[in-house]
Coordinates of all heavy atoms in Angstrom, one line a residue:
R21 N -47.4 21.4 -23.8 CA -47.9 20.9 -25.1 C -48.3 22.2 -26.0 O -49.2 22.1 -26.8 CB -49.1 20.0 -25.0 CG -48.9 18.8 -24.2 CD -47.7 18.0 -24.7 NE -48.2 16.6 -24.9 CZ -47.4 15.7 -25.4 NH1 -46.2 16.0 -25.7 NH2 -47.9 14.5 -25.7
K22 N -47.6 23.3 -25.8 CA -48.0 24.5 -26.4 C -48.0 24.3 -28.0 O -47.1 23.8 -28.5 CB -47.0 25.6 -26.1 CG -47.4 27.0 -26.4 CD -46.5 28.0 -25.8 CE -47.0 29.4 -26.0 NZ -46.3 30.4 -25.2
G23 N -49.1 24.8 -28.6 CA -49.2 24.7 -30.0 C -49.8 23.4 -30.5 O -50.0 23.3 -31.7
K24 N -50.0 22.5 -29.6 CA -50.5 21.2 -30.0 C -52.0 21.1 -29.6 O -52.5 21.8 -28.7 CB -49.8 20.1 -29.3 CG -48.3 20.0 -29.8 CD -47.6 18.8 -29.2 CE -46.2 18.8 -29.7 NZ -45.4 17.7 -29.1
P25 N -52.8 20.2 -30.3 CA -54.2 20.1 -29.9 C -54.4 19.6 -28.5 O -53.6 18.9 -28.0 CB -54.8 19.2 -31.0 CG -53.6 18.4 -31.5 CD -52.4 19.3 -31.3
I26 N -55.5 20.0 -27.9 CA -55.9 19.6 -26.6 C -55.8 18.0 -26.4 O -55.5 17.5 -25.4 CB -57.2 20.2 -26.1 CG1 -57.4 20.1 -24.6 CG2 -58.4 19.5 -26.8 CD1 -56.8 21.2 -23.9
E27 N -56.1 17.3 -27.5 CA -56.1 15.9 -27.4 C -54.7 15.3 -27.1 O -54.6 14.2 -26.6 CB -56.6 15.3 -28.8 CG -58.1 15.5 -29.1 CD -58.3 16.9 -29.7 OE1 -57.3 17.6 -30.1 OE2 -59.5 17.4 -29.6
S28 N -53.7 16.1 -27.4 CA -52.3 15.7 -27.1 C -52.0 15.7 -25.6 O -51.0 15.2 -25.2 CB -51.3 16.6 -27.8 OG -51.2 17.8 -27.2
C29 N -52.9 16.2 -24.8 CA -52.8 16.2 -23.3 C -53.4 15.0 -22.6 O -53.3 14.9 -21.4 CB -53.4 17.5 -22.8 SG -52.6 19.0 -23.5
V30 N -54.0 14.1 -23.4 CA -54.6 12.9 -22.8 C -53.5 11.8 -22.9 O -53.0 11.5 -24.0 CB -55.8 12.5 -23.7 CG1 -56.4 11.2 -23.1 CG2 -56.9 13.7 -23.7
F31 N -53.2 11.3 -21.7 CA -52.1 10.3 -21.7 C -52.7 9.0 -21.2 O -53.6 8.9 -20.4 CB -51.0 10.7 -20.7 CG -50.3 12.0 -21.1 CD1 -50.6 13.2 -20.7 CD2 -49.2 11.9 -22.1 CE1 -50.0 14.3 -21.1 CE2 -48.6 13.0 -22.5 CZ -48.9 14.2 -22.0
K32 N -52.1 7.9 -21.8 CA -52.5 6.6 -21.4 C -52.3 6.4 -19.9 O -51.3 6.7 -19.4 CB -51.7 5.5 -22.2 CG -52.0 4.1 -21.9 CD -51.2 3.2 -22.8 CE -51.6 1.7 -22.5 NZ -50.8 0.8 -23.3
G33 N -53.3 5.9 -19.3 CA -53.2 5.7 -17.8 C -53.7 6.8 -17.0 O -53.7 6.7 -15.8
G34 N -54.0 8.0 -17.6 CA -54.3 9.1 -16.9 C -55.6 9.0 -16.1 O -55.9 9.7 -15.1
D35 N -56.5 8.1 -16.5 CA -57.8 7.9 -15.8 C -57.8 6.6 -15.0 O -58.9 6.2 -14.5 CB -58.9 7.9 -16.9 CG -59.2 9.3 -17.4 OD1 -59.0 10.2 -16.7 OD2 -59.6 9.4 -18.6
L36 N -56.7 6.0 -14.8 CA -56.7 4.8 -14.0 C -57.0 5.1 -12.5 O -56.7 6.2 -12.1 CB -55.3 4.1 -14.0 CG -54.9 3.5 -15.3 CD1 -53.4 3.0 -15.2 CD2 -55.8 2.4 -15.7
E37 N -57.6 4.2 -11.9 CA -58.0 4.4 -10.5 C -56.7 4.7 -9.6 O -56.8 5.4 -8.6 CB -58.7 3.2 -9.9 CG -59.4 3.4 -8.6 CD -60.3 2.3 -8.2 OE1 -61.0 1.8 -9.0 OE2 -60.2 1.9 -7.0
S38 N -55.6 4.2 -10.0 CA -54.4 4.3 -9.3 C -53.6 5.6 -9.6 O -52.6 6.0 -8.9 CB -53.4 3.1 -9.5 OG -53.1 3.1 -10.9
T39 N -54.1 6.4 -10.6 CA -53.4 7.6 -11.0 C -54.1 8.8 -10.3 O -55.3 8.9 -10.2 CB -53.5 7.8 -12.5 OG1 -53.0 6.7 -13.2 CG2 -52.8 9.1 -12.9
R40 N -53.3 9.7 -9.8 CA -53.8 10.8 -9.0 C -53.3 12.1 -9.7 O -52.2 12.2 -10.1 CB -53.3 10.8 -7.6 CG -53.8 9.6 -6.8 CD -55.2 9.7 -6.5 NE -55.7 8.6 -5.7 CZ -56.4 7.6 -6.1 NH1 -56.8 7.5 -7.4 NH2 -56.8 6.6 -5.3
H41 N -54.1 13.1 -9.7 CA -53.8 14.4 -10.2 C -54.2 15.5 -9.2 O -55.2 15.4 -8.5 CB -54.6 14.8 -11.5 CG -54.5 13.7 -12.6 ND1 -53.4 13.7 -13.4 CD2 -55.2 12.7 -12.9 CE1 -53.6 12.7 -14.3 NE2 -54.7 12.1 -14.0
F42 N -53.3 16.4 -8.9 CA -53.5 17.4 -7.9 C -53.4 18.8 -8.5 O -52.5 19.0 -9.4 CB -52.5 17.2 -6.8 CG -52.7 16.0 -6.0 CD1 -52.0 14.8 -6.4 CD2 -53.5 15.9 -4.9 CE1 -52.2 13.6 -5.8 CE2 -53.7 14.7 -4.3 CZ -53.0 13.5 -4.7
G43 N -54.3 19.7 -8.1 CA -54.2 21.1 -8.6 C -53.8 22.0 -7.5 O -54.1 21.7 -6.3
L44 N -53.0 23.0 -7.8 CA -52.6 24.0 -6.9 C -53.6 25.2 -7.1 O -53.8 25.7 -8.2 CB -51.2 24.4 -7.2 CG -50.6 25.5 -6.3 CD1 -50.4 25.0 -4.9 CD2 -49.3 26.0 -6.9
F45 N -54.2 25.6 -6.0 CA -55.2 26.7 -6.0 C -54.7 27.9 -5.2 O -54.2 27.7 -4.1 CB -56.5 26.2 -5.5 CG -57.1 25.2 -6.4 CD1 -56.7 23.9 -6.3 CD2 -58.2 25.5 -7.2 CE1 -57.3 22.9 -7.1 CE2 -58.7 24.6 -8.1 CZ -58.3 23.2 -8.0
E46 N -54.8 29.1 -5.8 CA -54.5 30.3 -5.0 C -55.8 31.1 -4.9 O -56.3 31.5 -5.9 CB -53.4 31.1 -5.7 CG -52.9 32.2 -4.9 CD -51.6 32.8 -5.5 OE1 -51.1 32.3 -6.6 OE2 -51.1 33.8 -4.9
D47 N -56.2 31.3 -3.7 CA -57.5 32.0 -3.5 C -58.6 31.3 -4.2 O -59.4 32.0 -4.9 CB -57.4 33.5 -3.8 CG -56.4 34.2 -2.9 OD1 -56.3 33.9 -1.7 OD2 -55.6 35.1 -3.4
K48 N -58.6 30.0 -4.2 CA -59.7 29.2 -4.8 C -59.6 29.2 -6.4 O -60.4 28.6 -7.0 CB -61.1 29.6 -4.4 CG -61.3 29.4 -2.9 CD -62.7 29.6 -2.5 CE -62.8 29.4 -1.0 NZ -64.2 29.6 -0.5
K49 N -58.5 29.8 -6.9 CA -58.4 29.8 -8.4 C -57.3 28.8 -8.8 O -56.2 28.9 -8.3 CB -58.0 31.2 -8.9 CG -57.8 31.3 -10.4 CD -57.4 32.7 -10.8 CE -57.2 32.7 -12.3 NZ -56.7 34.0 -12.8
F50 N -57.6 27.9 -9.7 CA -56.7 26.9 -10.1 C -55.7 27.5 -11.0 O -56.0 28.2 -12.0 CB -57.5 25.8 -11.0 CG -56.7 24.7 -11.5 CD1 -55.8 24.0 -10.7 CD2 -56.8 24.4 -12.8 CE1 -55.1 22.9 -11.2 CE2 -56.1 23.3 -13.4 CZ -55.2 22.6 -12.6
N51 N -54.4 27.3 -10.7 CA -53.3 27.9 -11.5 C -52.2 27.0 -12.0 O -51.5 27.4 -12.9 CB -52.8 29.2 -10.8 CG -52.2 28.8 -9.4 OD1 -51.9 27.7 -9.1 ND2 -51.9 29.8 -8.6
R52 N -52.0 25.9 -11.4 CA -51.0 24.9 -11.8 C -51.5 23.5 -11.5 O -52.3 23.3 -10.7 CB -49.7 25.2 -11.2 CG -49.2 26.6 -11.5 CD -47.8 26.7 -11.1 NE -47.5 28.1 -11.3 CZ -46.3 28.5 -11.6 NH1 -45.3 27.7 -11.6 NH2 -46.0 29.8 -11.8
N53 N -50.8 22.5 -12.2 CA -51.1 21.2 -11.8 C -49.9 20.3 -11.7 O -48.9 20.7 -12.2 CB -52.1 20.6 -12.8 CG -51.5 20.4 -14.2 OD1 -50.8 19.4 -14.4 ND2 -51.8 21.2 -15.1
Y54 N -50.0 19.2 -11.0 CA -48.9 18.3 -10.8 C -49.5 16.9 -11.0 O -50.6 16.6 -10.7 CB -48.4 18.4 -9.4 CG -47.9 19.8 -9.1 CD1 -48.7 20.8 -8.6 CD2 -46.5 20.1 -9.3 CE1 -48.2 22.1 -8.4 CE2 -46.0 21.3 -9.1 CZ -46.9 22.3 -8.6 OH -46.4 23.6 -8.4
F55 N -48.7 16.1 -11.6 CA -49.1 14.7 -12.0 C -48.3 13.7 -11.1 O -47.1 13.8 -11.0 CB -48.8 14.4 -13.4 CG -49.4 15.3 -14.4 CD1 -48.7 16.3 -15.0 CD2 -50.8 15.2 -14.7 CE1 -49.3 17.2 -15.8 CE2 -51.4 16.1 -15.6 CZ -50.6 17.1 -16.2
V56 N -49.1 12.8 -10.5 CA -48.5 11.8 -9.7 C -49.0 10.5 -10.2 O -50.2 10.2 -10.2 CB -48.8 11.9 -8.2 CG1 -48.2 10.8 -7.4 CG2 -48.3 13.2 -7.6
I57 N -48.1 9.6 -10.7 CA -48.6 8.3 -11.3 C -48.1 7.2 -10.4 O -47.0 7.2 -10.0 CB -48.1 8.2 -12.7 CG1 -48.7 9.3 -13.6 CG2 -48.5 6.8 -13.3 CD1 -48.1 9.3 -15.0

Side-chain angles (χ1 to χ4, degrees):
R21 305 301 238 178
K22 195 170 188 171
K24 296 183 180 180
I26 196 86
E27 295 81 16
S28 72
C29 300
V30 179
F31 295 97
K32 182 178 180 180
D35 287 327
L36 292 175
E37 192 173 314
S38 59
T39 304
R40 300 287 184 253
H41 304 278
F42 295 89
L44 179 70
F45 294 79
E46 188 169 1
D47 297 322
K48 298 184 180 183
K49 180 181 177 188
F50 180 52
N51 58 17
R52 298 189 185 208
N53 69 78
Y54 299 88
F55 304 98
V56 178
I57 299 175

